[in-house]
Amino acid sequence: MESTRNEEISSFFDSAPPLKNRDNIKHKLNEFIRLNSSPNGGDEEKARRIVCVTSGGTTVPLEQRCVRYIDNFSSGHRGAASTEYLLKAGYAVIFLYRRGTFQPFCRSLPDDPFLECFESIDPKNIQVRQQHSEAVKLAIRDHHTAVAGGLLLKLPFTTIFEYLQMLQMTALSLSSLGPHAMFYLAAAVSDFYVPWKSMAEHKIQSGSGHLDIRLVQVPKLLSVLRKEWAPMAFCISFKLETDSRILQEKAEMALRKYGMHVVVANELLTRKEEVFVVTGNLKITVHRDKTQVDSDVENPLIELLVNRHSVYMKESDT
Ligand code: PMT
């Protein structure tokens, strides 16, 4: 059983096309972690907590020169909103996100901010439309403060190959932080993929009837993350289902099977209203505050998770 799992994992990483900018990503990660883990002259007690937030869905290419791919649903809203609250709570955030999905601090902007937020007043001048000026100002200010202040590192991915290689690199780099590190795995990760070596190189041609493609199971790397890559880090994974009857049971199973510290369970249709947090023997329902117009479920969720992380860090010290 264990050797089959190890074979699946090696086969995934061996067959994955190497990351194009691997050295650059590694350098950025190491620099970010170095700056944030010793802000007080190496005083470990006061070192900033660092969290890796994964966000958005991974794709599975069907062709090496990819025209077609299988996608996983996730707008990235959960990851982007959570990143804002984690920064507010004092964390430095590595935001591992799918290109083109929601970004932190941009949630209050219209769908097409570039075209909708600006207007051309004469051929030489462009200005922010009055109705969006406050939102644009805040977005620019908060984003700049986080990035320029070295508290937010944004790393984009598209495919499952990029995502898992980047998650591994991040986890190995963060492992030196021990319990100060947190993983918040909100990305919707593909369950099946086409191994690179058996993938068609060119665009698959139509016209010859049905198409047979063999998909191989993506190895679940949650337990590897927990046991090998960053064994002391505080790990939160998500469970998404569309059938509410099996949601809790699946979340409890994930907690046990992958050794997660917390599993956040959500149902597709109600994911913006409530989530169920499963941790140890506790099951806690977290709701959006419906009395507030702009409230979201991520605000109380992050508050709860930050507290759980604090308890975990204290327990790890003793
Ligand atoms: O982005 P939004 O539109 O705001 O929506 C948020 C969300 C619904 C996507 C988010 O809240 C969520 O539930 N994300 C996880 C979705 C998912 O893929 O669930 P899953 O049951 O397939 O996977 C469970 C966990 O295992 C996830 O933490 C996933 O990151 C991880 N996983 C999954 C497959 C795999 N091969 N390896 C993994 O590590």
Side-chain angles (χ1 to χ4, degrees), residues 74-76 78 185-190 220 222 238-239 266 271:
S74 168
S75 67
R78 174 89 76 225
L185 303 165
V189 183
S190 319
K220 274 270 184 193
L222 293 181
F238 280 72
K239 189 75 221 158
N266 54 173
R271 71 188 191 286

Side-chain angles (χ1 to χ4, degrees), residues 54-56 72-79 102 160 163-164 167 185-192 218-222 236-241 254 258 264-268 271-272 275 298:
T54 71
S55 182
N72 251 49
F73 167 79
S74 168
S75 67
H77 186 278
R78 174 89 76 225
F102 273 110
I160 180 73
Y163 171 78
L164 286 180
L167 181 65
L185 303 165
V189 183
S190 319
D191 283 317
F192 299 96
V218 175
K220 274 270 184 193
L221 290 166
L222 293 181
I236 301 149
S237 77
F238 280 72
K239 189 75 221 158
L240 174 67
E241 292 295 340
Y258 305 121
V264 181
N266 54 173
E267 207 189 316
L268 188 64
R271 71 188 191 286
K272 293 195 173 180
V275 296
E298 284 80 9

Side-chain angles (χ1 to χ4, degrees), residues 32-44 46-48:
F32 185 82
I33 293 168
R34 188 183 64 77
L35 283 173
N36 283 297
S37 55
S38 54
N40 294 298
D43 181 349
E44 250 192 54
K46 290 187 183 140
R48 193 179 282 284

Side-chain angles (χ1 to χ4, degrees), residues 166-187:
M166 287 163 83
L167 181 65
Q168 183 189 37
M169 278 170 80
T170 309
L172 292 173
S173 306
L174 277 178
S175 67
S176 60
L177 260 70
H180 274 78
M182 186 206 262
F183 285 84
Y184 182 87
L185 303 165

Side-chain angles (χ1 to χ4, degrees), residues 269-299:
L269 288 180
T270 56
R271 71 188 191 286
K272 293 195 173 180
E273 297 300 318
E274 62 178 18
V275 296
F276 306 99
V277 175
V278 185
T279 176
N281 295 323
L282 295 175
K283 286 172 217 148
I284 307 159
T285 307
V286 180
H287 294 281
R288 179 176 83 79
D289 178 356
K290 293 189 181 88
T291 61
Q292 304 293 317
V293 190
D294 288 331
S295 68
D296 51 40
V297 72
E298 284 80 9
N299 192 359

Side-chain angles (χ1 to χ4, degrees), residues 104-239:
F105 307 114
C106 297
R107 289 180 296 141
S108 345
L109 301 182
D111 281 349
D112 196 336
F114 185 65
L115 295 175
E116 291 176 54
C117 286
F118 300 101
E119 61 189 346
S120 169
I121 43 174
D122 61 51
K124 282 194 176 158
N125 288 301
I126 288 176
Q127 69 176 24
V128 180
R129 281 183 209 276
Q130 184 59 36
Q131 84 243 45
H132 296 305
S133 70
E134 201 47 38
V136 170
K137 245 192 285 175
L138 286 178
I140 294 173
R141 188 200 65 191
D142 294 347
H143 181 263
H144 180 78
T145 306
V147 174
L151 293 171
L152 175 61
L153 175 66
K154 302 210 287 185
L155 299 175
F157 65 82
T158 302
T159 68
I160 180 73
F161 300 115
E162 290 173 324
Y163 171 78
L164 286 180
Q165 289 182 79
M166 287 163 83
L167 181 65
Q168 183 189 37
M169 278 170 80
T170 309
L172 292 173
S173 306
L174 277 178
S175 67
S176 60
L177 260 70
H180 274 78
M182 186 206 262
F183 285 84
Y184 182 87
L185 303 165
V189 183
S190 319
D191 283 317
F192 299 96
Y193 76 111
V194 183
W196 192 253
K197 283 180 188 136
S198 59
M199 196 186 291
E201 182 186 349
H202 292 283
K203 185 182 168 202
I204 297 168
Q205 296 300 303
S206 58
S208 48
H210 69 274
L211 172 65
D212 282 327
I213 295 180
R214 190 161 172 271
L215 298 173
V216 175
Q217 184 147 349
V218 175
K220 274 270 184 193
L221 290 166
L222 293 181
S223 39
V224 186
L225 169 71
R226 269 291 288 120
K227 289 191 193 134
E228 294 170 26
W229 295 347
M232 291 304 290
F234 187 67
C235 288
I236 301 149
S237 77
F238 280 72
K239 189 75 221 158

